Amino acid sequence: MMLARTDGRSKVTGLARQALMEQRRQTAADASRPLTATRERRLTAFVRLTASQADDVLRRHRCTLLAQTGDICIVSIPLNALEALAAEPAVSRIEAGRRASALLDTTTMIVNALPAYETTAEHQAFTGDGVVVGLVDVGFDLSHPTFCDATGTRFRVGAFWDQLSADTVGSTFPVGRDFVGYEAVRAYGRSVDAPTQYHGNHTAGIAAGSGYTTPYRGLAYESDICLVSNAITEDTLYIDEADYYKYTTAVDGLGFKYIYDYADRQGKPCVVSFSEGYHPYIDEEDSLYAEFLDSLTSVPGHILVVAVGNEGLLRTYFEKPEGRAEAGAFINCGNKAAVYRLKADGPMAVRLHAFDPATEQALCTPLTIASADGRLDSLSVDTLLVGNDTCVVSATRYPMAVAASADTCYIVVIEGTRELNFCKMALTVEGADTRVEVFGSISSAFTSWTAYPEWSDAVYGHNILAPACFHTPISVGATSHRESVVNYNGEDRSMGTPESGGLRAGYSSTGPALNGERKPDVVAPGSIIVSSYSRRYLDENPNEDDNVICFSDFQGQAHPWLQATGTSMSTPVVAGGVALWLQANPRLTQQEVKQVLSRTCRHPESGLRYPNNYYGYGEIDVYRGLLDVLQMDGVEGIDVQLPGDMRIVPNGHGLQLLMGRQSAAATLTVKVFGLGGAEVCKLTQPLSGREAYVALPVLPAGVYAVQVMADGRVLGSQLVRL
């Protein structure tokens, strides 16, 4: 069935379009079947419609309004009403994306967070107190002691929405239900997917875990915590088939809003960490989702931090520039199906070629998909016969969401009877006067072949996942500082990649983003990060304990701490650091946080210009950023670093200086500054040994910056609470 442009199809994008096509097929099939009672299937989607007509339009089509900001609504739509809703003149766009996938100590020292707070429980300066750290993730086992304070007595998760919960009686949410209050959350205990997903415990521990009795404390370890357990592609076993289209990017958007709403009720600033992502659609960066996130983070004290993805080791992009007749690359896909997205600003053609890897001879006549083919306005389906194998090739196109754009988007899906790497298959594009960009993914990548060097156009980069590719979120890549770690059995566990020394981890996705914007914004340690994990991991996988670093005994259970690697780990590092900044200035905006990063990040490679598409502004420096937020970084005499083995501990009416490896004989000079930058006192005394006590004059209670020098040489500074 050909879809006319006037029927509203051009308004429906992404997963919503798939739902529309499926509903049409289902309607046709139902017409020949006896009428039976079935549960109504619904789609959760972003809808842009004239605000003044929203209530009337949604009511007439039996839709439920879940959230609204301006003319963008999140709506629960009956699938059998989707087509009629799309045809409404007041509706300009219906958008839903697929569920995302999860992106899988010494970290606080590496990002220079230790000076921001004391390591003893009695004298914290900036620890996340008074800030909400939120995570939208999967697999939460709330019995782990890291969700309590350092003593294990005070539970810290104040609200929890489990989107997979089947107990929806009385729930106001489109999926699952929530639990509010520390006791209610603790009694609930774990997310539905906790037996098979463990990602959330690890990321939450990095951002905000107490560490309990271990060194593996999160950055904002005294923050309040709010969690949303969402659904990812691997969670389908927990989702009824009738509810498939309820779990979309729109529900993730509601999850972010849930956390910010909780923080607003508490009167606290909030940073949300999201270590998931999906391959973006190429119709103006999933525009309604992006605009909804813009709205949520337009409020001071609402910060969103998102992982860029782990696709840096594969080539997933190539371009045919205007003026060049052809460009191409060979498909690198170990699955039976591959999906490629194309963007073109004029007429073009896609060709698929197949060759015998042994003889280098063509196995078939190339299959051509030409932009002049009218079937692309609906769906073109062709068959590529490759020897005894059959590949079904489907293609469709749709306009860009922004009318001013001349680009047209195409999706090409190749489905084989076995893994597509059984032959050498090339994808080429033609059109001398047209610029064409081709986007793959980690499962639909590209490679080259020496037999046909003219099709070697694929490059690294251009693989930032959504929503990190949107303009507003602070997108986070990963650096590597460790090559290995010793597990609880005394075995060395290597990360399996050669990067270390603080350079970008090879797996970390790089820009530019789909819209051409420079991404990531910042990087942080992501390789071999030790954090809390679910005890159910070993219950379900008793022979997979190689990555367990240690256990904590808590309430009769042994709770593991594991090492893991990925931008999933670097993202909560940044979120935890930002939480300390929010404690210093609760009204920081998303843009102001990016500005702090631009001024204070460490530059891992001195030969590069910053920002760039590998490191963004560089690696986060939490303490230097904190001084910037406090407007103290420009005060003469305040250094932004503190030697890692030196500590300044408030003690009574003075300071205990633990010098570590510093000179055992020297003249110490200690300057104390108020947070306004004014020097409040300067003291000089001899140092003998590796420890000294400096008596201070009576000062008002509060946070101060302490600068230490030995024989006139600046050792560093630290914030302390007196």
Side-chain angles (χ1 to χ4, degrees):
M1 177 178 178
M2 184 73 72
L3 296 177
R5 287 293 184 197
T6 57
D7 69 357
R9 175 185 176 271
S10 61
K11 303 176 184 178
V12 183
T13 70
L15 192 66
R17 181 185 295 108
Q18 177 181 318
L20 176 61
M21 300 300 293
E22 181 178 315
Q23 180 62 30
R24 288 185 165 184
R25 290 192 296 268
Q26 187 66 45
T27 300
D30 289 346
S32 60
R33 297 175 183 167
L35 184 64
T36 57
T38 59
R39 187 154 61 91
E40 183 176 65
R41 302 184 70 188
R42 300 180 76 90
L43 165 75
T44 311
F46 296 99
V47 179
R48 188 195 294 278
L49 75 167
T50 305
S52 61
Q53 300 180 46
D55 291 342
D56 178 61
V57 170
L58 297 178
R59 176 184 52 77
R60 284 192 284 107
H61 296 287
R62 298 179 291 109
C63 299
T64 302
L65 178 63
L66 302 171
Q68 182 173 2
T69 174
D71 62 353
I72 299 176
C73 301
I74 296 181
V75 180
S76 175
I77 307 167
L79 283 187
N80 56 17
L82 177 58
E83 188 165 8
L85 178 66
E88 286 278 356
V91 174
S92 59
R93 183 171 172 86
I94 301 175
E95 174 188 302
R98 299 179 186 276
R99 292 180 295 275
S101 295
L103 306 174
L104 287 176
D105 110 271
T106 59
T107 302
T108 52
M109 186 182 300
I110 292 168
V111 298
N112 196 28
L114 288 180
Y117 41 66
E118 286 296 325
T119 56
T120 62
E122 293 79 18
H123 302 100
Q124 297 87 8
F126 290 91
T127 62
D129 186 25
V131 178
V132 173
V133 172
L135 289 97
V136 178
D137 213 316
V138 293
F140 291 104
D141 174 10
L142 301 179
S143 67
H144 199 289
T146 205
F147 291 110
C148 299
D149 63 6
T151 66
T153 56
R154 183 175 63 84
F155 189 66
R156 298 166 48 227
V157 183
F160 183 32
W161 176 13
D162 188 350
Q163 296 184 348
L164 289 172
S165 175
D167 177 13
T168 59
V169 176
S171 174
T172 60
F173 299 100
V175 293
R177 69 168 304 115
D178 76 328
F179 302 85
V180 179
Y182 302 105
E183 293 306 316
V185 176
R186 190 168 198 171
Y188 183 63
R190 65 176 178 86
S191 59
V192 167
D193 61 0
T196 56
Q197 302 291 344
Y198 322 105
H199 195 258
N201 266 44
H202 203 267
T203 57
I206 294 169
S210 69
Y212 191 45
T213 58
T214 74
Y216 309 120
R217 185 173 67 183
L219 275 88
Y221 58 90
E222 289 196 331
S223 60
D224 197 5
I225 302 173
C226 181
L227 303 175
V228 173
S229 183
N230 69 336
I232 59 173
T233 51
E234 295 84 355
D235 272 334
T236 52
L237 72 159
Y238 300 107
I239 300 173
D240 189 298
E241 184 179 355
D243 294 332
Y244 179 83
Y245 289 109
K246 290 183 178 180
Y247 293 90
T248 66
T249 50
V251 170
D252 287 340
L254 288 174
F256 299 135
K257 183 177 185 298
Y258 176 84
I259 295 173
Y260 291 129
D261 287 348
Y262 168 80
D264 290 346
R265 292 195 303 271
Q266 307 305 309
K268 298 178 180 179
C270 177
V271 56
V272 176
S273 180
F274 189 53
S275 291
E276 298 175 11
Y278 65 95
H279 294 101
Y281 299 92
I282 53 178
D283 54 348
E284 195 59 25
E285 63 176 21
D286 305 291
S287 61
L288 298 191
Y289 188 15
E291 288 184 47
F292 187 77
L293 297 184
D294 290 348
S295 176
L296 290 181
T297 55
S298 66
V299 179
H302 284 195
I303 311 299
L304 178 61
V305 179
V306 181
V308 298
N310 303 324
E311 307 212 340
L313 294 174
L314 291 174
R315 287 176 281 176
T316 58
Y317 172 86
F318 72 87
E319 175 193 1
K320 189 205 75 63
E322 181 182 356
R324 181 175 167 184
E326 181 188 65
F330 282 85
I331 289 173
N332 180 14
C333 177
N335 301 319
K336 293 181 180 180
V339 179
Y340 298 100
R341 296 176 172 86
L342 297 84
K343 186 165 66 174
D345 62 6
M348 65 97 185
V350 179
R351 298 193 196 280
L352 289 172
H353 314 254
F355 301 91
D356 186 318
T359 66
E360 302 180 359
Q361 299 301 307
L363 292 172
C364 61
T365 301
L367 185 151
T368 302
I369 304 168
S371 59
D373 188 343
R375 294 181 302 161
L376 292 171
D377 291 324
S378 175
L379 183 69
S380 74
V381 180
D382 294 291
T383 300
L384 181 66
L385 297 176
V386 184
N388 295 324
D389 292 276
T390 300
C391 291
V392 176
V393 182
S394 307
T396 188
R397 70 171 164 219
Y398 49 95
M400 292 288 286
V402 177
S405 173
D407 289 347
T408 299
C409 304
Y410 299 81
I411 296 179
V412 176
V413 181
I414 307 165
E415 298 175 279
T417 54
R418 54 178 168 145
E419 293 181 359
L420 295 182
N421 281 344
F422 74 88
C423 68
K424 290 289 187 179
M425 187 177 296
L427 187 155
T428 64
V429 292
E430 302 173 4
D433 298 324
T434 300
R435 179 175 183 249
V436 184
E437 294 179 272
V438 183
F439 300 87
S441 67
I442 196 169
S443 58
S444 302
F446 296 111
T447 187
S448 57
W449 190 25
T450 54
Y452 289 83
E454 64 269 31
W455 295 333
S456 301
D457 294 302
V459 297
Y460 297 98
H462 298 264
N463 49 31
I464 305 291
L465 298 184
C469 66
F470 301 167
H471 172 72
T472 294
I474 296 167
S475 58
V476 184
T479 53
S480 291
H481 290 264
R482 275 182 178 152
E483 296 180 1
S484 63
V485 67
V486 177
N487 69 10
Y488 83 108
N489 286 321
E491 302 163 334
D492 187 272
R493 301 295 297 160
S494 171
M495 66 179 286
T497 55
E499 304 93 355
S500 61
L503 299 181
R504 182 186 70 87
Y507 56 79
S508 185
S509 292
T510 58
L514 198 62
N515 60 1
E517 187 171 337
R518 187 264 310 145
K519 289 282 183 174
D521 294 301
V522 65
V523 293
S527 299
I528 313 185
I529 306 299
V530 181
S531 182
S532 49
Y533 225 62
S534 170
R535 60 185 173 84
R536 290 174 173 80
Y537 169 74
L538 292 181
D539 292 343
E540 300 293 328
N541 307 278
N543 297 320
E544 297 183 15
D545 60 352
D546 290 351
N547 293 322
V548 176
I549 305 305
C550 65
F551 291 91
S552 288
D553 292 328
F554 182 67
Q555 296 182 343
Q557 298 285 346
H559 296 269
W561 303 79
L562 271 74
Q563 65 92 9
T565 290
T567 56
S568 281
M569 286 67 245
S570 58
T571 300
V573 172
V574 172
V578 170
L580 306 187
W581 301 351
L582 285 173
Q583 185 180 354
N585 181 359
R587 293 191 58 78
L588 279 177
T589 67
Q590 188 90 349
Q591 186 58 36
E592 286 171 342
V593 170
K594 290 184 180 182
Q595 291 169 355
V596 173
L597 293 170
S598 73
R599 293 189 292 265
T600 63
C601 279
R602 183 182 72 86
H603 294 167
E605 293 189 50
S606 58
L608 298 177
R609 293 184 63 183
Y610 292 80
N612 56 56
N613 285 312
Y614 300 97
Y615 295 97
Y617 291 116
E619 187 173 64
I620 188 171
D621 185 319
V622 174
Y623 181 53
R624 187 176 180 187
L626 181 59
L627 291 178
D628 184 273
V629 170
L630 294 169
Q631 299 182 342
M632 298 183 66
D633 58 312
V635 177
E636 183 179 355
I638 297 181
D639 192 71
V640 297
Q641 300 290 336
L642 177 72
D645 62 341
M646 174 183 169
R647 292 170 55 207
I648 305 172
V649 182
N651 185 352
H653 293 291
L655 300 171
Q656 199 77 29
L657 305 183
L658 308 177
M659 304 304 295
R661 294 189 298 271
Q662 301 300 323
S663 173
T667 299
L668 287 180
T669 299
V670 177
K671 295 181 180 180
V672 180
F673 298 84
L675 293 188
E679 182 180 313
V680 297
C681 68
K682 177 180 178 180
L683 304 166
T684 301
Q685 68 180 61
L687 167 68
S688 179
R690 301 193 182 278
E691 185 172 340
Y693 182 80
V694 178
L696 297 176
V698 177
L699 297 172
V703 177
Y704 294 84
V706 178
Q707 172 77 65
V708 180
M709 293 180 287
D711 291 335
R713 179 172 57 91
V714 175
L715 301 181
S717 66
Q718 179 176 319
L719 293 174
V720 297
R721 185 180 297 279
L722 299 176

